[in-house]
């Protein structure tokens, strides 16, 4: 594994340090791709492991439904034990794949963090003095320490998890529609409302998170300025002035963090409501189909399992 700092777009580094600008996801990946050039093998292996993990989760309801229909209803307990062993093997494979995925992307995240911090620090040494006059040292320290660590968390946890959740949801949606298209449409109907709500509020959530990061940088700048000039502050007896400035920065950070937390958590109850509503719709219509002979109890159980597989990735 290479430990050399990979080059990045220096214009981006300067502009990001001076004033955060909105960027598309594709633009962000293009700017960060040099940091991943030595980690492509691990990233590929992690994505393959993610596919195996998701596939094992999607296979579970199929095996359970087949076991109930073919063996439990007929009292064939030998077949039940056989397929129980198969189900255990599938879940064990998924467990091993999930562990390897976490290990691989954790390594990638730390490598990206190492390379990015080296690159940023090297770039800072090349900047003119006017740049440091316009930007507080504490704010720059916060960007190098705190903001880059969020990228580490993104690569170590969120990236492959996001791809896995999308694969899981797509697979569950296809299976729901293939098993019974009318029941499947009812199960997916709440997700459409969630999609529109997410698109409507995503800009507001991004804005609140950006303000939270900016307030954290401002508070770090106040702390650094106070500690750097502590002797001068004491000599001129201005402790009250710097205490007031820190109180204001701390209050701004507190309010911005609260607003960011509310924004990030606003979707969670909605996702839970969507899952419960989908289960209620499937149960209501599924029971009706069972009474008409168009659906079996075992199929309804499998359907509910796939409803959970579709909606659970939306929740934390």
């Amino acid at each position: 594994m290479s430990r050399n700092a990979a080059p990045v777009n220096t214009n981006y580094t300067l502009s990001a340090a001076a004033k955060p600008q909105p960027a598309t996801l594709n633009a962000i990946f293009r700017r960060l791709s040099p940091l991943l050039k030595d980690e492509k093998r691990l990233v590929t292996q992690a994505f393959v492991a993610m596919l195996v993990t998701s596939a094992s989760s999607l296979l579970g309801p199929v095996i359970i439904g087949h076991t109930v229909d073919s063996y439990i209803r007929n009292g064939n307990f030998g077949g039940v034990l056989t397929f129980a062993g198969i189900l255990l093997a599938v879940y064990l494979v998924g467990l091993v794949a999930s562990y390897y995925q976490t290990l691989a992307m954790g390594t990638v995240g730390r490598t990206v963090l190492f390379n990015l911090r080296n690159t940023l620090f090297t770039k800072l040494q090349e900047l003119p003095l006017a740049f440091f006059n316009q930007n507080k040292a504490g704010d720059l320290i916060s960007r190098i320490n705190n903001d880059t660590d969020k990228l580490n968390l993104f690569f170590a946890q969120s990236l492959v998890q996001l791809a896995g959740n999308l694969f899981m949801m797509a697979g569950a949606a296809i299976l729901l529609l293939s098993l019974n298209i009318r029941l499947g449409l009812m199960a997916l109907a709440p997700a459409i409302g969630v999609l529109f709500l997410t698109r409507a509020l995503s800009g507001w959530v991004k804005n609140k998170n950006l303000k939270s990061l900016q307030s954290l940088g401002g508070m770090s700048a106040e702390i650094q300025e106070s500690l750097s000039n502590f002797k001068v502050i004491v000599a001129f007896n201005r402790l009250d002035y710097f205490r007031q400035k820190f109180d204001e920065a701390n209050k701004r950070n507190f309010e911005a963090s609260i607003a960011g937390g509310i924004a990030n958590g606003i979707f969670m109850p909605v996702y839970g409501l969507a899952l419960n509503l989908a289960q209620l719709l499937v149960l209501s219509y599924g029971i009706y189909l069972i009474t008409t002979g168009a659906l079996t109890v075992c199929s309804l159980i499998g359907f509910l399992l796939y409803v959970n597989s579709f909606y659970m990735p939306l929740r934390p």
Side-chain angles (χ1 to χ4, degrees):
M1 181 184 300
S2 174
R3 286 294 183 185
N4 297 323
V8 296
N9 188 321
T10 55
N11 291 329
Y12 165 74
T13 305
L14 175 57
S15 62
K19 182 180 180 181
Q21 298 291 336
T24 63
L25 192 59
N26 289 335
I28 292 172
F29 275 117
R30 282 197 303 270
R31 289 166 176 172
L32 293 177
S33 58
L35 298 171
L36 291 169
K37 68 177 184 178
D38 297 324
E39 306 300 324
K40 292 181 179 179
R41 181 179 60 86
L42 269 180
V43 173
T44 301
Q45 291 175 356
F47 271 88
V48 171
M50 174 272 297
L51 292 176
V52 173
T53 303
S54 301
S56 66
S57 298
L58 291 173
L59 278 174
V62 174
I63 296 174
I64 293 172
H66 176 73
T67 304
V68 172
D69 276 334
S70 302
Y71 300 104
I72 292 181
R73 292 178 63 184
N74 298 325
N76 187 344
F77 294 105
V80 171
L81 291 176
T82 300
F83 276 86
I86 294 174
L87 183 63
L88 177 63
V90 169
Y91 284 152
L92 285 177
V93 169
L95 176 65
V96 172
S98 177
Y99 175 78
Y100 182 79
Q101 165 197 318
T102 302
L103 181 64
M105 290 310 295
T107 303
V108 170
R110 283 296 172 184
T111 303
V112 169
L113 181 65
F114 176 84
N115 290 338
L116 184 58
R117 282 176 174 170
N118 271 349
T119 305
L120 287 172
F121 190 76
T122 301
K123 179 59 183 177
L124 284 175
Q125 293 175 318
E126 301 171 358
L127 296 175
L129 290 177
F131 175 83
F132 295 96
N133 292 331
Q134 297 171 1
N135 296 271
K136 294 182 178 180
D139 189 40
L140 298 178
I141 292 171
S142 177
R143 294 187 184 282
I144 294 176
N145 285 336
N146 299 325
D147 294 0
T148 54
D149 193 56
K150 293 184 184 299
L151 281 175
N152 166 45
L153 294 177
F154 170 73
F155 282 105
Q157 301 176 12
S158 302
L159 179 60
V160 177
Q161 184 179 3
L162 173 63
N165 288 342
L166 291 175
F167 179 80
M168 174 78 72
M169 293 175 67
I174 292 172
L175 289 168
L176 285 171
L177 294 174
S178 63
L179 290 173
N180 189 302
I181 188 167
R182 289 179 296 175
L183 202 57
L185 289 174
M186 295 190 72
L188 298 178
I192 299 175
V194 170
L195 175 62
F196 282 113
L197 180 65
T198 302
R199 290 181 65 88
L201 297 180
S202 60
W204 174 70
V205 173
K206 290 178 183 177
N207 183 55
K208 293 300 181 182
N209 285 323
L210 177 60
K211 289 183 177 179
S212 178
L213 289 174
Q214 290 173 336
S215 66
L216 179 62
M219 187 177 68
S220 299
E222 292 297 337
I223 295 173
Q224 190 276 335
E225 184 178 354
S226 298
L227 293 178
S228 298
N229 301 288
F230 188 73
K231 293 181 180 179
V232 178
I233 295 171
V234 174
F236 286 91
N237 195 24
R238 294 308 309 270
L239 289 172
D240 56 339
Y241 172 73
F242 281 93
R243 186 182 298 115
Q244 180 182 356
K245 289 186 65 178
F246 175 77
D247 287 342
E248 293 172 355
N250 193 23
K251 183 179 180 181
R252 286 194 297 270
N253 177 249
F254 172 76
E255 293 174 349
S257 299
I258 292 295
I262 292 174
N264 290 326
I266 196 171
F267 292 114
M268 295 306 106
V270 176
Y271 296 152
L273 176 63
L275 170 60
N276 295 333
L277 183 59
Q279 290 175 333
L280 179 61
L281 291 173
V282 169
L283 273 175
S284 302
Y285 190 57
I287 291 173
Y288 167 75
L289 292 178
I290 290 174
T291 59
T292 61
L295 191 71
T296 64
V297 175
C298 304
S299 299
L300 180 59
I301 294 173
F303 225 91
L304 289 172
L305 290 174
Y306 281 123
V307 168
N308 284 330
S309 297
F310 180 84
Y311 283 96
M312 287 306 292
L314 296 174
R315 309 182 71 178

